[in-house]
Amino acid sequence: MSASTINGYAALAKQTELTQFSYEPAKLTDYDVEIEISHCGICHSDLHLIDNDWGVSKYPLVPGHEIVGNIIQVCEKSHHTIGSRVGVGWQRSACLECDECISGNEQLCLKQQATCKGNYGGFANRIIVDGRFAFVIPESLSSETAAPLLCAGATVFSPLQHFNVRPGQKVGVIGIGGLGHLAIQFAHFMGCEVTAFSSSADKETESKKFGADHFVNLSNNNLRKLRRSQDFLLNTSMSENQDWHALLQTLKSDGRLCIVGAPSKPINLSLHHILDGRRSISGSNIGSRTDIQKMLNFAALHNIKPQTEVIPISRVNDAIAKLRQNKVRYRIVLQMK
Ligand code: NAP
Ligand code: ZN
């Protein structure tokens, strides 16, 4: 094992526990930076990848794309300096030349590379990425706080901005997990009236603490009384088995359901309630570099923080088991040392 060896945890096959795994990284080129990782959040996308829910996983698979650490090496073209504390999310590079990249939508670039899909990710002591996708963390955010913002925070902040959600609008957040509990906070501080839609009755008190004005228990609620009440719904749940028709009917006319949760199975949806009410359904994928920078600044300004549970990386399998059971409140962050 050389001094450059990177040590982490990998799934060696679908739906297995992670085991210790080491690899030799490629040499740094152009804009690359090497980061000594201090913290890495566990996103449900990591679990989808471990289980090959989306049919795209390759093993060994080192998950992890909510990374915070310090730069220990920079290549010649990088603007970063050694010692800077930076974060990396789902995306580790893009061509930065295509129409999408030039218009500031690098997350839609056809040549984008993911941090832990097709590359070894952040459940490790170090990582090398294109430094143009490493973001300096505002000083007021602790590393454990910043880590979940890099994916979960960006993914919910971006559509609220892109779809022009305004103060005073009624925003529903469906699924109160890692993404959802941050979505409540962002929408609250954007001046919206927020409703949390959850299948877990015990999340009511905390949802209200995060800034939700109302709480709807999806397990026993008749959504009919909420008909035509919401301007914007953000679905962060990965369940394909929602009452989509009743949820769509809670939207006002011209309202939008934006889906960021990534179910592995198709959803069963009649288009009737889109036509009726002139509603829209959209998807959204992570966030652009501008979104990430704005989101970090917005979080620092309003003291928006994920509720985290910090666990040493040696206990990564306990953490993943808890995530599988929907028992995490609300993000586990792995500590590397
Ligand atoms: P999470 O922390 O596990 O939270 C997901 C929430 O969904 C749960 O807390 C739960 O909320 C609800 N849920 C409903 N059915 C569930 C089930 N069968 N198992 C577990 N939870 C269930 O996950 P997350 O990290 O927030 O990620 C949520 C989804 O977003 C995942 O599918 C992930 O892959 C996706 N994602 C997408 C993007 C993107 O760019 N579009 C980025 C990041 C993540 P209640 O208890 O309140 O019902
Ligand atoms: Zn993620």
Side-chain angles (χ1 to χ4, degrees):
M1 211 180 274
S2 77
S4 69
T5 306
I6 292 184
N7 301 310
Y9 282 80
L12 301 181
K14 175 180 162 162
Q15 292 169 343
T16 55
E17 289 211 327
L18 306 193
T19 54
Q20 287 190 324
F21 174 77
S22 300
Y23 70 96
E24 296 301 322
K27 279 210 164 61
L28 277 69
T29 58
D30 295 340
Y31 297 91
D32 284 351
V33 295
E34 180 166 17
I35 300 165
E36 182 167 52
I37 301 173
S38 64
H39 295 84
C40 187
I42 308 184
C43 174
H44 210 108
S45 299
D46 293 314
L47 189 47
H48 289 307
L49 288 171
I50 292 167
D51 290 351
N52 199 19
D53 284 344
W54 302 326
V56 296
S57 302
K58 297 213 167 70
Y59 303 91
L61 187 145
V62 179
H65 59 274
E66 291 185 338
I67 297 167
V68 173
N70 289 91
I71 294 193
I72 53 170
Q73 204 184 155
V74 295
C75 206
E76 67 223 36
K77 291 186 183 166
S78 175
H79 67 288
H80 284 293
T81 45
I82 290 178
S84 286
R85 189 174 60 126
V86 293
V88 178
W90 174 265
Q91 189 173 4
R92 53 167 283 149
S93 70
C95 79
L96 298 183
E97 289 174 350
C98 69
D99 289 350
E100 298 291 8
C101 285
I102 289 167
S103 61
N105 290 306
E106 310 87 7
Q107 80 277 28
L108 307 179
C109 173
L110 288 173
K111 292 185 182 158
Q112 66 166 297
Q113 282 192 36
T115 305
C116 65
K117 179 169 76 71
N119 292 290
Y120 295 140
F123 290 7
N125 61 339
R126 301 194 324 274
I127 194 164
I128 294 168
V129 299
D130 182 329
R132 294 169 297 182
F133 288 82
F135 305 90
V136 174
I137 305 293
E139 259 180 44
S140 65
L141 298 176
S142 70
S143 298
E144 69 169 80
T145 292
L149 295 175
L150 271 304
C151 177
T155 301
V156 297
F157 184 84
S158 172
L160 291 169
Q161 294 278 296
H162 180 76
F163 294 114
N164 215 18
V165 172
R166 312 299 325 143
Q169 287 194 320
K170 296 190 178 179
V171 171
V173 177
I174 306 164
I176 312 304
L179 269 62
H181 89 296
L182 285 167
I184 293 174
Q185 298 185 60
F186 283 119
H188 170 73
F189 281 105
M190 287 172 189
C192 304
E193 184 176 329
V194 183
T195 302
F197 292 82
S198 173
S199 60
S200 309
D202 65 330
K203 292 182 180 174
E204 177 163 4
T205 307
E206 281 167 329
S207 295
K208 290 189 171 161
K209 187 189 82 184
F210 298 135
D213 301 281
H214 315 283
F215 182 86
V216 174
N217 180 354
L218 287 171
S219 310
N220 63 13
N221 197 281
N222 180 352
L223 291 171
R224 279 184 73 80
K225 60 180 184 240
L226 290 175
R227 277 179 89 170
R228 300 250 171 163
S229 64
Q230 305 295 305
D231 293 289
F232 188 82
L233 290 177
L234 187 62
N235 178 59
T236 76
S237 165
M238 76 295 292
S239 169
E240 66 281 2
N241 293 319
Q242 310 262 22
D243 188 348
W244 295 108
H245 298 146
L247 285 167
L248 278 170
Q249 283 182 297
T250 68
L251 284 170
K252 294 178 186 170
S253 55
D254 287 325
R256 183 183 298 276
L257 166 65
C258 178
I259 297 186
V260 293
S264 48
K265 299 197 186 89
I267 64 173
N268 180 8
L269 192 66
S270 143
L271 294 180
H272 180 73
H273 299 302
I274 306 295
L275 281 65
D276 170 28
R278 205 167 54 189
R279 301 177 175 104
S280 307
I281 301 184
S282 305
S284 187
N285 202 19
I286 53 171
S288 66
R289 293 186 298 169
T290 306
D291 290 331
I292 294 174
Q293 200 61 66
K294 274 194 193 167
M295 178 274 306
L296 288 171
N297 294 342
F298 191 90
L301 181 68
H302 295 289
N303 200 22
I304 291 173
K305 290 179 180 163
Q307 183 172 311
T308 57
E309 189 181 339
V310 180
I311 286 185
I313 191 163
S314 54
R315 289 185 44 217
V316 62
N317 288 311
D318 297 341
I320 289 171
K322 205 166 167 181
L323 182 60
R324 278 189 196 285
Q325 295 158 23
N326 190 18
K327 286 192 176 153
V328 177
R329 300 290 185 274
Y330 283 84
R331 195 52 128 204
I332 294 180
V333 176
L334 299 172
Q335 192 161 24
M336 301 308 156
K337 277 192 199 156

